[in-house]
Structure formats: structure tokens, C-alpha cells
Amino acid sequence: MFKKLLASVGVGAAKVDTVLETEHLHPGQKFQAQIIVMGGDVEQEISGLELALMTKVKVESDDGEYFTNHVIEKWRIPEEFTISPGEQRIIPFEARLHSETPITQINAPYNHCHVWIETGLDIDLALDPSDKDALHIYPNEAVKAVLSAMDKLGFQLVKADVEKGYLRASSFQSTSGCYQEIEYRPSSHSLFGLQEIELSFVPEAHKTHVLIELDRAFRSDGYIDLTIEHDQVNLSRICDQLERLFA
């Protein structure tokens, strides 16, 4: 009875470990994993498993800015079973990352972008034992071309973070409840009077939308947007489009 009481508060309880086939992924990519459930000191009833795609978001409040965890997407495996002490059970899992998963692999001096998968067990009367697996998220070809174009146009990558909220433009809107901001500044004096540019991406299956916030000297911030079809990614064309938009 004492062991069962300890297990009910997480001492000697079953544990979970998610083993990903790869931690290196792109937004919207399908991934596979094995969820390993290991029995604790007593027999326990498992009512299901939950996985969550997580990131850290910046929130602005009256008291200032702070970071908090945000669930981008959640998956539930409604598998019920009893796990005996010392028993190991392996459950295969497959899903697709949300297309708006923030990019973590950005060469910015200040990169505050983190993404991970968190796995938890649903155990009656127990704290949820959980497992966290960090992901390395890479840009798709359209995003990569935009970032390269910014370099070619003489802008310097400064910072990347993820903010809480939604993006809306005339032809698209985000759905994940958070959005990434990638901040650039001119390497030298800008001919367009630009002091800062912030890029946010909303990828879809066959195209990527770009929302661009422009901070010009002596003028209020302005927003412009651009859509890139994935079968028409061309670095020279994107450079030309950005130059026209910035002018």
C-alpha cells in the first residue's frame, strides 16, 4: 500500500521516453518516433498518452516582457493498458509538425527560438511523468531564399524570437497562436531610410507567406507582405521583389 501511495505522487511511478527517428526537421514535415513506457515499482493503469509540440514565446504585458511555454499542437494516443513493475512497452507514433513551427537553426547573435516535443502519461491519481525532446528546425527553401536575399541586400541578422499571438494580412492568417520574428538592421546607412526590418513567415503546403514590418526613420512602422510559391523559388527574383517593396 505504501508503494502505491508513493507511485500516486510520482515516486517509483512509470516513466516515459520518446525516441525520435530524427530531431532534425522542417516545418510541416512528417516524423516518426517510438514511445517507450517503463513500469515503476508497482502495477499501474495507463489511460493514454499525450504529446505536445512546444515552443517558448515572448509575452508583452503592463509589467514588461516575459517568456512562457506555448503549445503549438497536441496529439493524444487513446491507448489504455496496465503496466507491470519493470515492464517495458513500445508504442510507435507518427505525426506531422505544424507548418508554422518556428525555425530554430538561425545564425542570429540573439536566438531565443526553442522547439521541443513533450510526452506525458495519463495515470489515474498520479502526477504526469513527462519526457522532453529538443528539435532542430530548419527553414524551407522559400524561407532560406528570403534570408539569403536579406544578406545580399546588405541587411544584418540581429535577433530571432517567437511571440504570442496571430498574424493577419489580406490574403492569409496564422493559426498556431504564435509567430516568429526575425529582426534585421542595415549594415550601413540605408538608402530607403530603414532602421529595422522584421520578417515573419506563414508556410503552407505549396507556398510561404512573408509578413514584413518596416521601421523607417521619422515614420511610423509599416507592413507589407509577399507570397512565394514553392515551385518558383528564385533568389534573384526575391532580391528584386524585396528591393521594390523596401523602396
Side-chain angles (χ1 to χ4, degrees):
M1 182 65 180
F2 181 63
K3 280 188 176 180
K4 288 188 177 181
L5 286 172
L6 287 176
S8 73
V9 294
V11 179
K15 299 185 185 304
V16 63
D17 180 27
T18 296
V19 180
L20 297 161
E21 187 176 275
T22 178
E23 300 87 12
H24 300 268
L25 298 163
H26 291 82
Q29 184 176 340
K30 189 178 287 186
F31 68 95
Q32 291 81 32
Q34 287 190 329
I35 303 172
I36 303 169
V37 183
M38 294 156 285
D41 293 339
V42 298
E43 184 178 274
Q44 286 181 291
E45 299 293 326
I46 308 297
S47 303
L49 300 94
E50 275 198 351
L51 291 90
L53 179 64
M54 307 285 296
T55 189
K56 196 171 289 290
V57 297
K58 184 172 72 175
V59 180
E60 296 184 1
S61 70
D62 294 338
D63 298 325
E65 296 178 350
Y66 64 92
F67 286 88
T68 186
N69 292 343
H70 174 76
V71 178
I72 301 172
E73 193 162 11
K74 188 178 284 188
W75 305 278
R76 178 167 177 82
I77 303 173
E79 187 158 338
E80 299 184 9
F81 56 93
T82 301
I83 190 151
S84 303
E87 181 187 353
Q88 177 175 287
R89 183 175 291 229
I90 298 176
I91 301 166
F93 178 75
E94 181 178 277
R96 188 180 296 276
L97 290 184
H98 198 291
S99 62
E100 296 171 20
T101 303
I103 302 158
T104 63
Q105 303 310 107
I106 298 177
N107 190 25
Y110 300 98
N111 184 359
H112 304 293
C113 304
H114 306 280
V115 174
W116 68 95
I117 287 179
E118 193 162 324
T119 310
L121 292 175
D122 186 356
I123 301 175
D124 291 341
L125 304 176
L127 297 174
D128 291 338
S130 61
D131 173 56
K132 295 181 180 179
D133 297 276
L135 297 180
H136 307 284
I137 308 298
Y138 296 82
N140 66 27
E141 291 303 312
V143 173
K144 197 186 299 183
V146 172
L147 301 183
S148 296
M150 293 295 290
D151 291 338
K152 282 185 171 294
L153 293 174
F155 293 94
Q156 184 176 358
L157 180 56
V158 177
K159 185 178 69 173
D161 60 26
V162 183
E163 300 207 5
K164 188 176 177 63
Y166 294 88
L167 296 176
R168 290 181 178 85
S170 58
S171 60
F172 65 89
Q173 65 179 40
S174 64
T175 61
S176 65
C178 66
Y179 58 92
Q180 188 167 27
E181 283 193 339
I182 302 174
E183 181 182 316
Y184 281 87
R185 290 179 187 162
S187 300
S188 57
H189 178 69
S190 171
L191 295 176
F192 309 124
L194 288 167
Q195 294 183 315
E196 185 179 284
I197 296 177
E198 290 182 339
L199 304 178
S200 296
F201 298 96
V202 182
E204 296 180 3
H206 304 294
K207 57 190 173 184
T208 293
H209 306 288
V210 192
L211 186 64
I212 306 169
E213 182 179 354
L214 303 176
D215 179 9
R216 299 183 190 273
F218 311 113
R219 289 167 60 179
S220 59
D221 294 353
Y223 292 88
I224 52 177
D225 60 87
L226 173 68
T227 295
I228 303 169
E229 301 290 339
H230 289 173
D231 60 354
Q232 298 177 14
V233 176
N234 180 284
L235 180 57
S236 296
R237 183 187 302 165
I238 291 172
C239 282
D240 293 341
Q241 286 176 307
L242 291 177
E243 271 196 311
R244 286 196 296 271
L245 290 171
F246 295 164

